[in-house]
Each structure stands twice: as structure tokens, then as C-alpha cells.
Short mmCIF file of all heavy atoms in Angstrom, two decimals:
data_model
loop_
_atom_site.label_atom_id
_atom_site.label_comp_id
_atom_site.label_asym_id
_atom_site.label_seq_id
_atom_site.Cartn_x
_atom_site.Cartn_y
_atom_site.Cartn_z
N MET A 9 64.43 111.87 114.89
CA MET A 9 64.55 111.49 116.30
C MET A 9 63.16 111.28 116.94
O MET A 9 62.25 112.15 116.68
CB MET A 9 65.30 112.55 117.06
CG MET A 9 66.72 112.36 117.16
SD MET A 9 67.55 113.41 118.32
CE MET A 9 67.71 114.92 117.41
N PRO A 10 62.96 110.25 117.72
CA PRO A 10 61.69 110.00 118.35
C PRO A 10 61.45 111.01 119.42
O PRO A 10 62.37 111.60 120.02
CB PRO A 10 61.84 108.63 118.94
CG PRO A 10 63.04 108.03 118.33
CD PRO A 10 63.93 109.13 117.90
N THR A 11 60.16 111.26 119.70
CA THR A 11 59.69 112.14 120.80
C THR A 11 59.29 111.27 121.93
O THR A 11 58.52 110.25 121.74
CB THR A 11 58.54 113.01 120.35
OG1 THR A 11 58.96 113.81 119.22
CG2 THR A 11 58.09 113.95 121.42
N TYR A 12 59.70 111.57 123.18
CA TYR A 12 59.34 110.75 124.33
C TYR A 12 58.61 111.65 125.31
O TYR A 12 58.97 112.82 125.50
CB TYR A 12 60.60 110.19 124.97
CG TYR A 12 61.34 109.25 124.16
CD1 TYR A 12 62.43 109.64 123.37
CD2 TYR A 12 60.95 107.89 124.10
CE1 TYR A 12 63.13 108.79 122.60
CE2 TYR A 12 61.68 107.02 123.27
CZ TYR A 12 62.75 107.46 122.52
OH TYR A 12 63.44 106.58 121.74
N ASP A 13 57.53 111.12 125.89
CA ASP A 13 56.75 111.85 126.87
C ASP A 13 57.25 111.51 128.34
O ASP A 13 57.49 110.38 128.60
CB ASP A 13 55.26 111.47 126.85
CG ASP A 13 54.62 111.87 125.49
OD1 ASP A 13 54.95 112.98 125.02
OD2 ASP A 13 53.80 111.09 124.96
N TYR A 14 57.36 112.58 129.14
CA TYR A 14 57.86 112.40 130.53
C TYR A 14 56.92 113.14 131.46
O TYR A 14 56.20 114.06 131.07
CB TYR A 14 59.25 112.94 130.70
CG TYR A 14 60.34 112.00 130.12
CD1 TYR A 14 60.73 112.09 128.80
CD2 TYR A 14 60.96 111.07 130.96
CE1 TYR A 14 61.67 111.26 128.30
CE2 TYR A 14 61.90 110.30 130.47
CZ TYR A 14 62.29 110.32 129.12
OH TYR A 14 63.29 109.50 128.65
N LEU A 15 56.96 112.77 132.70
CA LEU A 15 56.20 113.42 133.82
C LEU A 15 57.13 113.67 134.94
O LEU A 15 57.81 112.77 135.45
CB LEU A 15 55.06 112.52 134.28
CG LEU A 15 54.21 113.09 135.43
CD1 LEU A 15 53.40 114.35 134.98
CD2 LEU A 15 53.25 112.05 135.89
N CYS A 16 57.32 114.95 135.37
CA CYS A 16 58.17 115.29 136.44
C CYS A 16 57.55 114.80 137.78
O CYS A 16 56.39 115.12 138.05
CB CYS A 16 58.39 116.80 136.50
SG CYS A 16 59.44 117.33 137.87
N GLN A 17 58.35 114.03 138.53
CA GLN A 17 57.93 113.54 139.80
C GLN A 17 57.93 114.65 140.93
O GLN A 17 57.25 114.44 141.95
CB GLN A 17 58.75 112.35 140.22
CG GLN A 17 58.62 111.18 139.30
CD GLN A 17 57.27 110.59 139.28
OE1 GLN A 17 56.81 110.03 140.24
NE2 GLN A 17 56.49 110.80 138.20
N ASP A 18 58.67 115.71 140.69
CA ASP A 18 58.69 116.80 141.66
C ASP A 18 57.56 117.76 141.58
O ASP A 18 56.91 118.07 142.57
CB ASP A 18 60.03 117.57 141.61
CG ASP A 18 61.20 116.75 142.06
OD1 ASP A 18 61.01 115.63 142.63
OD2 ASP A 18 62.36 117.13 141.81
N CYS A 19 57.26 118.28 140.38
CA CYS A 19 56.17 119.29 140.17
C CYS A 19 55.00 118.79 139.46
O CYS A 19 54.03 119.51 139.34
CB CYS A 19 56.81 120.53 139.56
SG CYS A 19 57.18 120.37 137.78
N GLY A 20 55.00 117.56 138.88
CA GLY A 20 53.91 116.98 138.14
C GLY A 20 53.76 117.53 136.74
O GLY A 20 52.76 117.23 136.08
N HIS A 21 54.70 118.26 136.21
CA HIS A 21 54.62 118.89 134.85
C HIS A 21 54.87 117.80 133.83
O HIS A 21 55.91 117.17 133.80
CB HIS A 21 55.64 120.01 134.72
CG HIS A 21 55.66 120.65 133.41
ND1 HIS A 21 54.62 121.45 132.94
CD2 HIS A 21 56.57 120.59 132.37
CE1 HIS A 21 54.97 121.87 131.71
NE2 HIS A 21 56.11 121.37 131.39
N PRO A 22 53.90 117.60 132.86
CA PRO A 22 54.13 116.68 131.72
C PRO A 22 54.93 117.44 130.66
O PRO A 22 54.67 118.58 130.38
CB PRO A 22 52.75 116.30 131.28
CG PRO A 22 51.88 117.54 131.68
CD PRO A 22 52.53 118.08 132.88
N PHE A 23 55.83 116.78 130.03
CA PHE A 23 56.63 117.39 128.95
C PHE A 23 57.12 116.30 127.96
O PHE A 23 57.05 115.09 128.26
CB PHE A 23 57.81 118.25 129.49
CG PHE A 23 58.86 117.45 130.21
CD1 PHE A 23 59.99 117.10 129.62
CD2 PHE A 23 58.69 117.19 131.59
CE1 PHE A 23 60.95 116.37 130.31
CE2 PHE A 23 59.58 116.49 132.32
CZ PHE A 23 60.78 116.06 131.66
N GLU A 24 57.55 116.72 126.82
CA GLU A 24 58.03 115.81 125.83
C GLU A 24 59.40 116.34 125.35
O GLU A 24 59.66 117.54 125.34
CB GLU A 24 57.14 115.56 124.71
CG GLU A 24 56.79 116.77 123.83
CD GLU A 24 55.82 116.49 122.76
OE1 GLU A 24 54.82 115.70 122.94
OE2 GLU A 24 56.08 117.00 121.63
N ILE A 25 60.27 115.36 125.03
CA ILE A 25 61.60 115.77 124.50
C ILE A 25 61.91 114.86 123.32
O ILE A 25 61.36 113.74 123.15
CB ILE A 25 62.73 115.60 125.57
CG1 ILE A 25 62.80 114.19 126.09
CG2 ILE A 25 62.53 116.58 126.72
CD1 ILE A 25 64.05 113.91 126.96
N ARG A 26 62.81 115.29 122.54
CA ARG A 26 63.28 114.50 121.39
C ARG A 26 64.68 114.02 121.74
O ARG A 26 65.57 114.76 122.06
CB ARG A 26 63.35 115.37 120.11
CG ARG A 26 61.97 115.85 119.70
CD ARG A 26 62.01 116.67 118.49
NE ARG A 26 61.88 115.68 117.43
CZ ARG A 26 61.88 115.93 116.12
NH1 ARG A 26 62.05 117.13 115.71
NH2 ARG A 26 61.70 114.91 115.20
N LEU A 27 64.84 112.70 121.63
CA LEU A 27 66.12 112.07 121.96
C LEU A 27 66.46 111.11 120.86
O LEU A 27 65.54 110.47 120.30
CB LEU A 27 66.04 111.26 123.24
CG LEU A 27 65.98 111.98 124.59
CD1 LEU A 27 65.81 111.02 125.75
CD2 LEU A 27 67.29 112.78 124.81
N SER A 28 67.72 110.96 120.57
CA SER A 28 68.11 109.90 119.66
C SER A 28 67.90 108.57 120.37
O SER A 28 67.81 108.48 121.54
CB SER A 28 69.61 110.07 119.31
OG SER A 28 70.40 109.78 120.43
N MET A 29 67.76 107.51 119.61
CA MET A 29 67.48 106.22 120.20
C MET A 29 68.67 105.79 121.04
O MET A 29 68.49 105.10 122.06
CB MET A 29 67.13 105.22 119.05
CG MET A 29 65.79 105.56 118.42
SD MET A 29 65.45 104.52 117.03
CE MET A 29 64.74 103.12 117.81
N SER A 30 69.88 106.13 120.63
CA SER A 30 71.06 105.76 121.40
C SER A 30 71.07 106.50 122.70
O SER A 30 71.40 105.88 123.77
CB SER A 30 72.33 105.96 120.65
OG SER A 30 72.48 107.35 120.32
N ALA A 31 70.75 107.74 122.73
CA ALA A 31 70.69 108.54 123.99
C ALA A 31 69.61 107.96 124.95
O ALA A 31 69.87 107.83 126.19
CB ALA A 31 70.40 110.01 123.74
N TYR A 32 68.49 107.60 124.40
CA TYR A 32 67.41 107.00 125.22
C TYR A 32 67.86 105.69 125.80
O TYR A 32 67.69 105.39 127.01
CB TYR A 32 66.09 106.83 124.43
CG TYR A 32 65.02 106.15 125.26
CD1 TYR A 32 64.33 106.85 126.19
CD2 TYR A 32 64.71 104.82 125.04
CE1 TYR A 32 63.39 106.23 126.98
CE2 TYR A 32 63.75 104.16 125.75
CZ TYR A 32 63.07 104.92 126.75
OH TYR A 32 62.11 104.30 127.53
N SER A 33 68.47 104.85 125.01
CA SER A 33 68.90 103.52 125.46
C SER A 33 70.09 103.64 126.51
O SER A 33 70.25 102.74 127.33
CB SER A 33 69.36 102.61 124.29
OG SER A 33 70.50 103.10 123.70
N GLU A 34 70.81 104.77 126.48
CA GLU A 34 71.88 105.02 127.48
C GLU A 34 71.27 105.52 128.80
O GLU A 34 71.99 105.65 129.77
CB GLU A 34 72.88 105.97 126.93
CG GLU A 34 73.77 105.47 125.79
CD GLU A 34 74.60 106.50 125.13
OE1 GLU A 34 74.53 107.70 125.61
OE2 GLU A 34 75.26 106.23 124.16
N GLY A 35 70.02 105.80 128.80
CA GLY A 35 69.35 106.24 130.05
C GLY A 35 69.48 107.71 130.36
O GLY A 35 69.55 108.12 131.53
N VAL A 36 69.55 108.53 129.34
CA VAL A 36 69.70 109.97 129.56
C VAL A 36 68.52 110.46 130.40
O VAL A 36 67.32 110.08 130.22
CB VAL A 36 69.64 110.72 128.17
CG1 VAL A 36 69.49 112.23 128.42
CG2 VAL A 36 70.88 110.41 127.36
N SER A 37 68.84 111.18 131.45
CA SER A 37 67.81 111.69 132.37
C SER A 37 67.44 113.09 132.01
O SER A 37 68.21 114.04 132.21
CB SER A 37 68.31 111.65 133.84
OG SER A 37 67.36 112.03 134.73
N PRO A 38 66.22 113.33 131.51
CA PRO A 38 65.87 114.72 131.05
C PRO A 38 65.58 115.64 132.21
O PRO A 38 65.08 115.19 133.26
CB PRO A 38 64.67 114.51 130.17
CG PRO A 38 64.06 113.23 130.74
CD PRO A 38 65.19 112.40 131.17
N ARG A 39 65.78 116.91 132.05
CA ARG A 39 65.44 117.91 133.03
C ARG A 39 64.04 118.45 132.78
O ARG A 39 63.67 118.69 131.59
CB ARG A 39 66.39 119.13 132.95
CG ARG A 39 67.65 118.90 133.61
CD ARG A 39 68.43 120.23 133.73
NE ARG A 39 69.77 120.01 134.34
CZ ARG A 39 69.98 120.01 135.59
NH1 ARG A 39 69.02 120.20 136.44
NH2 ARG A 39 71.19 119.81 136.00
N CYS A 40 63.27 118.62 133.79
CA CYS A 40 61.94 119.27 133.69
C CYS A 40 62.07 120.71 133.24
O CYS A 40 62.80 121.42 133.86
CB CYS A 40 61.21 119.11 134.99
SG CYS A 40 59.62 119.97 135.00
N PRO A 41 61.36 121.10 132.18
CA PRO A 41 61.50 122.51 131.78
C PRO A 41 60.79 123.50 132.74
O PRO A 41 61.07 124.67 132.70
CB PRO A 41 60.77 122.48 130.38
CG PRO A 41 59.95 121.33 130.37
CD PRO A 41 60.52 120.31 131.28
N ALA A 42 59.93 123.00 133.56
CA ALA A 42 59.20 123.84 134.51
C ALA A 42 59.98 124.13 135.86
O ALA A 42 60.11 125.26 136.24
CB ALA A 42 57.84 123.28 134.86
N CYS A 43 60.62 123.10 136.41
CA CYS A 43 61.31 123.26 137.66
C CYS A 43 62.75 122.97 137.61
O CYS A 43 63.47 123.21 138.55
CB CYS A 43 60.59 122.46 138.77
SG CYS A 43 60.83 120.70 138.58
N GLY A 44 63.25 122.30 136.54
CA GLY A 44 64.68 122.01 136.39
C GLY A 44 65.12 120.72 137.05
O GLY A 44 66.26 120.36 137.03
N ALA A 45 64.16 120.00 137.69
CA ALA A 45 64.53 118.73 138.36
C ALA A 45 64.86 117.67 137.39
O ALA A 45 64.38 117.66 136.21
CB ALA A 45 63.36 118.30 139.25
N GLU A 46 65.66 116.68 137.74
CA GLU A 46 66.04 115.53 136.93
C GLU A 46 65.29 114.30 137.43
O GLU A 46 65.77 113.14 137.25
CB GLU A 46 67.53 115.34 136.98
CG GLU A 46 68.26 116.31 136.22
CD GLU A 46 69.74 116.01 136.13
OE1 GLU A 46 70.11 114.83 136.23
OE2 GLU A 46 70.51 116.97 135.85
N ASN A 47 64.14 114.46 138.00
CA ASN A 47 63.36 113.36 138.56
C ASN A 47 62.09 113.20 137.68
O ASN A 47 61.00 113.36 138.20
CB ASN A 47 62.94 113.74 140.05
CG ASN A 47 62.34 112.56 140.76
OD1 ASN A 47 62.46 111.42 140.23
ND2 ASN A 47 61.70 112.79 141.80
N ALA A 48 62.29 112.76 136.46
CA ALA A 48 61.17 112.55 135.52
C ALA A 48 61.11 111.08 135.17
O ALA A 48 62.08 110.39 135.11
CB ALA A 48 61.31 113.42 134.27
N VAL A 49 59.88 110.63 134.95
CA VAL A 49 59.64 109.24 134.48
C VAL A 49 58.95 109.25 133.21
O VAL A 49 58.19 110.21 132.87
CB VAL A 49 58.81 108.44 135.54
CG1 VAL A 49 59.57 108.24 136.82
CG2 VAL A 49 57.48 109.06 135.82
N ARG A 50 59.22 108.25 132.40
CA ARG A 50 58.55 108.19 131.09
C ARG A 50 57.09 107.90 131.24
O ARG A 50 56.74 107.05 132.06
CB ARG A 50 59.26 107.07 130.28
CG ARG A 50 58.63 106.81 128.92
CD ARG A 50 59.58 107.09 127.79
NE ARG A 50 58.82 106.99 126.53
CZ ARG A 50 58.96 105.93 125.77
NH1 ARG A 50 59.73 104.99 126.05
NH2 ARG A 50 58.24 105.90 124.63
N SER A 51 56.29 108.56 130.46
CA SER A 51 54.85 108.28 130.48
C SER A 51 54.38 107.95 129.11
O SER A 51 55.12 108.17 128.12
CB SER A 51 54.13 109.54 131.03
OG SER A 51 54.25 110.64 130.16
N PHE A 52 53.24 107.29 129.01
CA PHE A 52 52.78 106.90 127.70
C PHE A 52 51.40 107.54 127.48
O PHE A 52 50.57 107.63 128.39
CB PHE A 52 52.62 105.37 127.69
CG PHE A 52 53.95 104.71 127.79
CD1 PHE A 52 54.48 104.36 129.03
CD2 PHE A 52 54.73 104.41 126.66
CE1 PHE A 52 55.70 103.72 129.14
CE2 PHE A 52 55.98 103.81 126.74
CZ PHE A 52 56.42 103.48 128.02
N SER A 53 51.16 107.96 126.30
CA SER A 53 49.94 108.66 125.97
C SER A 53 49.13 107.82 124.95
O SER A 53 49.58 106.80 124.46
CB SER A 53 50.18 110.08 125.42
OG SER A 53 51.00 109.98 124.31
N ALA A 54 47.91 108.28 124.65
CA ALA A 54 47.07 107.59 123.72
C ALA A 54 47.63 107.57 122.32
O ALA A 54 48.27 108.51 121.91
CB ALA A 54 45.66 108.19 123.68
N VAL A 55 47.46 106.49 121.62
CA VAL A 55 47.87 106.41 120.22
C VAL A 55 46.74 105.97 119.39
O VAL A 55 45.84 105.29 119.92
CB VAL A 55 49.09 105.50 120.05
CG1 VAL A 55 50.29 106.03 120.79
CG2 VAL A 55 48.77 104.13 120.45
N ASN A 56 46.69 106.29 118.15
CA ASN A 56 45.65 105.80 117.23
C ASN A 56 46.21 104.61 116.51
O ASN A 56 47.28 104.59 116.02
CB ASN A 56 45.32 106.92 116.23
CG ASN A 56 44.49 108.06 116.87
OD1 ASN A 56 43.78 107.82 117.77
ND2 ASN A 56 44.75 109.21 116.33
N VAL A 57 45.30 103.55 116.49
CA VAL A 57 45.65 102.30 115.78
C VAL A 57 44.62 102.11 114.74
O VAL A 57 43.45 102.11 115.01
CB VAL A 57 45.61 101.14 116.78
CG1 VAL A 57 45.89 99.82 116.09
CG2 VAL A 57 46.63 101.37 117.92
N LEU A 58 45.09 101.97 113.54
CA LEU A 58 44.16 101.79 112.34
C LEU A 58 44.03 100.32 112.15
O LEU A 58 45.02 99.60 111.82
CB LEU A 58 44.77 102.47 111.13
CG LEU A 58 43.90 102.47 109.90
CD1 LEU A 58 42.59 103.21 110.20
CD2 LEU A 58 44.58 103.16 108.76
N THR A 59 42.79 99.85 112.25
CA THR A 59 42.47 98.41 111.96
C THR A 59 41.39 98.40 110.94
O THR A 59 40.25 98.82 111.23
CB THR A 59 42.05 97.70 113.25
OG1 THR A 59 40.88 98.35 113.81
CG2 THR A 59 43.15 97.64 114.26
N GLY A 60 41.69 97.93 109.77
CA GLY A 60 40.67 97.93 108.72
C GLY A 60 40.40 99.32 108.29
O GLY A 60 41.26 100.10 108.00
N SER A 61 39.15 99.73 108.37
CA SER A 61 38.74 101.08 108.04
C SER A 61 38.35 101.93 109.24
O SER A 61 37.78 103.02 109.10
CB SER A 61 37.56 101.04 107.05
OG SER A 61 36.44 100.44 107.73
N ARG A 62 38.66 101.42 110.47
CA ARG A 62 38.33 102.13 111.71
C ARG A 62 39.55 102.48 112.46
O ARG A 62 40.40 101.66 112.67
CB ARG A 62 37.40 101.31 112.54
CG ARG A 62 36.09 101.00 111.85
CD ARG A 62 35.20 100.05 112.69
NE ARG A 62 35.04 100.63 114.01
CZ ARG A 62 34.39 100.08 114.94
NH1 ARG A 62 33.87 98.87 114.80
NH2 ARG A 62 34.25 100.67 116.15
N ALA A 63 39.63 103.71 113.04
CA ALA A 63 40.72 104.15 113.90
C ALA A 63 40.25 104.00 115.34
O ALA A 63 39.13 104.40 115.69
CB ALA A 63 41.14 105.54 113.57
N THR A 64 41.08 103.41 116.15
CA THR A 64 40.74 103.23 117.56
C THR A 64 41.80 103.83 118.46
O THR A 64 43.00 103.67 118.17
CB THR A 64 40.69 101.70 117.89
OG1 THR A 64 39.74 101.06 116.97
CG2 THR A 64 40.22 101.43 119.29
N ALA A 65 41.47 104.56 119.48
CA ALA A 65 42.44 105.08 120.42
C ALA A 65 42.75 103.98 121.39
O ALA A 65 41.89 103.38 122.03
CB ALA A 65 41.85 106.26 121.11
N VAL A 66 43.98 103.77 121.62
CA VAL A 66 44.54 102.81 122.59
C VAL A 66 45.35 103.60 123.60
O VAL A 66 46.21 104.25 123.30
CB VAL A 66 45.42 101.71 121.91
CG1 VAL A 66 45.98 100.81 122.95
CG2 VAL A 66 44.65 100.98 120.85
N THR A 67 44.94 103.42 124.90
CA THR A 67 45.66 104.10 125.93
C THR A 67 46.53 103.18 126.72
O THR A 67 46.06 102.10 127.13
CB THR A 67 44.65 104.85 126.82
OG1 THR A 67 43.80 105.68 126.11
CG2 THR A 67 45.32 105.63 127.94
N THR A 68 47.71 103.60 126.93
CA THR A 68 48.64 102.82 127.78
C THR A 68 49.11 103.75 128.90
O THR A 68 49.10 104.97 128.72
CB THR A 68 49.88 102.29 126.99
OG1 THR A 68 50.51 103.41 126.43
CG2 THR A 68 49.45 101.34 125.95
N SER A 69 49.57 103.23 129.98
CA SER A 69 49.97 104.02 131.11
C SER A 69 51.29 103.48 131.69
O SER A 69 51.49 102.24 131.69
CB SER A 69 48.87 103.94 132.17
OG SER A 69 49.38 104.57 133.36
N SER A 70 52.13 104.44 132.08
CA SER A 70 53.43 103.98 132.65
C SER A 70 53.23 103.29 134.03
O SER A 70 54.11 102.73 134.60
CB SER A 70 54.33 105.21 132.82
OG SER A 70 53.81 106.20 133.68
N ARG A 71 52.02 103.45 134.58
CA ARG A 71 51.70 102.85 135.87
C ARG A 71 51.17 101.40 135.71
O ARG A 71 50.89 100.80 136.67
CB ARG A 71 50.74 103.73 136.59
CG ARG A 71 51.31 105.08 137.00
CD ARG A 71 50.30 105.82 137.74
NE ARG A 71 50.92 107.19 138.00
CZ ARG A 71 50.24 108.32 137.75
NH1 ARG A 71 49.02 108.33 137.30
NH2 ARG A 71 50.85 109.45 138.00
N SER A 72 51.01 100.95 134.52
CA SER A 72 50.51 99.60 134.24
C SER A 72 51.51 98.56 134.71
O SER A 72 52.71 98.75 134.56
CB SER A 72 50.26 99.46 132.72
OG SER A 72 50.02 98.11 132.50
N SER A 73 51.03 97.45 135.21
CA SER A 73 51.92 96.36 135.73
C SER A 73 52.64 95.72 134.59
O SER A 73 53.61 95.04 134.78
CB SER A 73 51.16 95.46 136.59
OG SER A 73 50.16 94.84 135.83
N SER A 74 52.10 95.77 133.38
CA SER A 74 52.75 95.11 132.21
C SER A 74 53.82 95.97 131.56
O SER A 74 54.40 95.58 130.54
CB SER A 74 51.66 94.77 131.19
OG SER A 74 51.09 95.95 130.71
N CYS A 75 54.10 97.15 132.10
CA CYS A 75 55.07 97.98 131.51
C CYS A 75 56.22 98.23 132.45
O CYS A 75 56.10 98.66 133.55
CB CYS A 75 54.38 99.34 131.22
SG CYS A 75 55.46 100.45 130.33
N GLY A 76 57.44 97.90 131.97
CA GLY A 76 58.61 98.05 132.77
C GLY A 76 59.26 99.42 132.53
O GLY A 76 58.72 100.22 131.71
N PRO A 77 60.30 99.73 133.18
CA PRO A 77 60.93 101.09 133.04
C PRO A 77 61.48 101.33 131.63
O PRO A 77 61.60 102.46 131.24
CB PRO A 77 62.08 101.04 134.08
CG PRO A 77 62.29 99.64 134.36
CD PRO A 77 61.03 98.90 134.06
N GLY A 78 61.74 100.25 130.88
CA GLY A 78 62.36 100.44 129.58
C GLY A 78 61.32 100.41 128.45
O GLY A 78 61.59 100.38 127.30
N GLY A 79 60.02 100.26 128.83
CA GLY A 79 58.98 100.18 127.83
C GLY A 79 58.18 98.94 128.13
O GLY A 79 58.22 98.30 129.17
N PHE A 80 57.42 98.46 127.07
CA PHE A 80 56.58 97.30 127.27
C PHE A 80 57.44 96.03 127.35
O PHE A 80 58.49 95.88 126.66
CB PHE A 80 55.61 97.16 126.09
CG PHE A 80 54.57 98.24 126.14
CD1 PHE A 80 54.71 99.32 125.26
CD2 PHE A 80 53.54 98.18 126.98
CE1 PHE A 80 53.78 100.38 125.33
CE2 PHE A 80 52.58 99.17 127.03
CZ PHE A 80 52.72 100.26 126.19
N THR A 81 57.03 95.09 128.20
CA THR A 81 57.80 93.89 128.33
C THR A 81 56.97 92.70 127.90
O THR A 81 55.76 92.79 127.70
CB THR A 81 58.20 93.65 129.88
OG1 THR A 81 57.03 93.71 130.64
CG2 THR A 81 59.18 94.66 130.23
#
């Protein structure tokens, strides 16, 4: 199961959860483990991309205009 990163909009706590791809596509709303709120948005963190013999960190943000609520568009 994939791991998804979320940020609670009520308390600002970042957390990650494991969801099946079908649960994620159904729009399961995760609860914040810190405050219990169901007001979390998906966030994106840095990933390593291997190109040739060099690894490069690529950072994406859920606040980017090129990213919709379901992921990259």
C-alpha cells in the first residue's frame, strides 16, 4: 500500500498514512492523529530522482498552481 503525506488544516500537524489505491481514489478523509480533525489536505514532499549517475532532490508542493486536488494534472 502506498504512503500518502497529509497536513492538518486545523492544527498544522504533518502526518502520513497508508491507504490502498482504491481507498485513496474514493476520497477517504484521514483523521489527524494529533487533534482528531478530518480537515487534512494532501501534501507533497521532496523525492529523489536518479538521472544518470547523479541523484537530484525534486521538491513539489500541494500549493503549486500546477497541482490539483487529485495530484499532478
Side-chain angles (χ1 to χ4, degrees):
M9 269 192 279
T11 301
Y12 297 97
D13 295 323
Y14 283 87
L15 178 66
C16 179
Q17 295 296 290
D18 290 349
C19 71
H21 179 71
F23 63 97
E24 62 182 41
I25 60 168
R26 298 183 87 179
L27 287 174
S28 67
M29 294 173 85
S30 61
Y32 177 75
S33 65
E34 291 171 3
V36 171
S37 183
R39 282 191 183 272
C40 174
C43 71
E46 289 187 21
N47 189 16
V49 294
R50 176 116 186 257
S51 63
F52 296 91
S53 56
V55 296
N56 289 325
V57 177
L58 185 61
T59 57
S61 61
R62 299 176 53 182
T64 305
V66 177
T67 303
T68 58
S69 171
S70 61
R71 296 182 183 130
S72 169
S73 62
S74 63
C75 184
F80 292 100
T81 55

